[in-house]
Amino acid sequence: MIAIAFCLLAGSTVLVPVLVFLAVGRRAQDQLFRLRDWLLPRQAGLVAALLVGIGLLLVVRGVLGV
Amino acid sequence: MAPETITSVLLLSAGVAISPLPVLAVIALLVSRRPRPTSLAFAGGWLGGIVAVLTVALGFAIGASRLGLTGLQRSAAVIGIVLGVLVMVAGVLVWVRRPADEAGPPGWLAALDELPPSRAFAAGGALSAVNPKNLVASGTAGLMLGWSGLSPDQIP
């Protein structure tokens, strides 16, 4: 259960746009462009925040020994 | 199952999911000339990479505990701390070296327009299995699950 949930959740951000496109075709284009324009300038900030978050999770778990 | 394990594994999956690069890549493929085969191949490679890393880490953790290598689990705590610090430093570097705001869309995004499906598949796999953030996140999730004390039939 949990491993499948992990894979689907982890893959969701790539899978959902593809599935939406398969369902509605080219009509999804405007939304896709809007998502791209939102994402492009925030890219580095998102990755940086996540790396710090994942690192923190690893350190805390390591220190607590769980 | 320990709730901390579920929480950590789900947090790690969000860490993989929030990857701007593959999302930008899949958008570029979806608005390219051949959206269907390339985006499906890319999504397959992306999911395949996640499954592969998780499976290898899970198998490694389960195998190690069956062999009674409990010392490994203890040293995993130390490795986790070292790795965690490195990952945090990488995060700071990504922020410091981020491109200037006025820089337009990167060149590789335009190059995706002509990508054949086989290479789209490989690119998807590379972004989920070779990218350091996603490798660490999926690998850690696999190790946590393998060492969580769950019975093997509860894990998949």
Side-chain angles (χ1 to χ4, degrees):
Chain A
M1 256 304 282
I2 182 95
I4 294 174
F6 175 88
C7 294
L8 289 180
L9 263 173
S12 60
T13 45
V14 168
L15 296 178
V16 167
V18 175
L19 293 177
V20 168
F21 180 86
L22 289 179
V24 306
R26 293 272 178 197
R27 272 177 296 154
Q29 243 176 26
D30 285 353
Q31 300 288 342
L32 290 173
F33 282 130
R34 220 174 306 161
L35 178 60
R36 186 190 63 184
D37 294 341
W38 185 86
L39 213 49
L40 265 176
R42 292 167 178 81
Q43 209 200 125
L46 279 171
V47 172
L50 279 165
L51 284 172
V52 171
I54 292 172
L56 209 57
L57 178 75
L58 287 172
V59 171
V60 168
R61 279 193 69 117
V63 169
L64 297 177
V66 287
Chain B
M1 177 181 352
E4 309 92 69
T5 305
I6 304 181
T7 315
S8 301
V9 167
L10 292 184
L11 279 175
L12 288 169
S13 82
V16 180
I18 306 170
S19 300
L21 234 57
V23 175
L24 288 169
V26 85
I27 292 173
L29 291 174
L30 285 173
V31 298
S32 72
R33 279 186 307 115
R34 297 169 63 204
R36 201 172 286 250
T38 50
S39 68
L40 278 174
F42 182 86
W46 169 251
L47 198 61
I50 295 169
V51 172
V53 174
L54 187 74
T55 309
V56 169
L58 193 60
F60 176 80
I62 291 174
S65 30
R66 283 220 181 120
L67 291 172
L69 300 172
T70 45
L72 203 64
Q73 208 164 335
R74 264 196 303 277
S75 45
V78 179
I79 296 169
I81 294 173
V82 175
L83 201 60
V85 172
L86 288 177
V87 168
M88 285 198 281
V89 170
V92 173
L93 285 180
V94 166
W95 179 249
V96 172
R97 293 187 187 161
R98 71 188 183 281
D101 285 343
E102 54 272 19
W108 59 264
L109 216 49
L112 291 177
D113 215 33
E114 301 292 328
L115 205 67
S118 59
R119 297 196 47 198
F121 182 84
L127 281 171
S128 63
V130 185
N131 172 287
K133 167 169 78 71
N134 299 334
L135 183 64
V136 168
S138 301
T140 307
L143 292 179
M144 281 180 183
L145 282 177
W147 280 325
S148 62
L150 288 170
S151 68
D153 56 305
Q154 283 176 297
I155 290 176

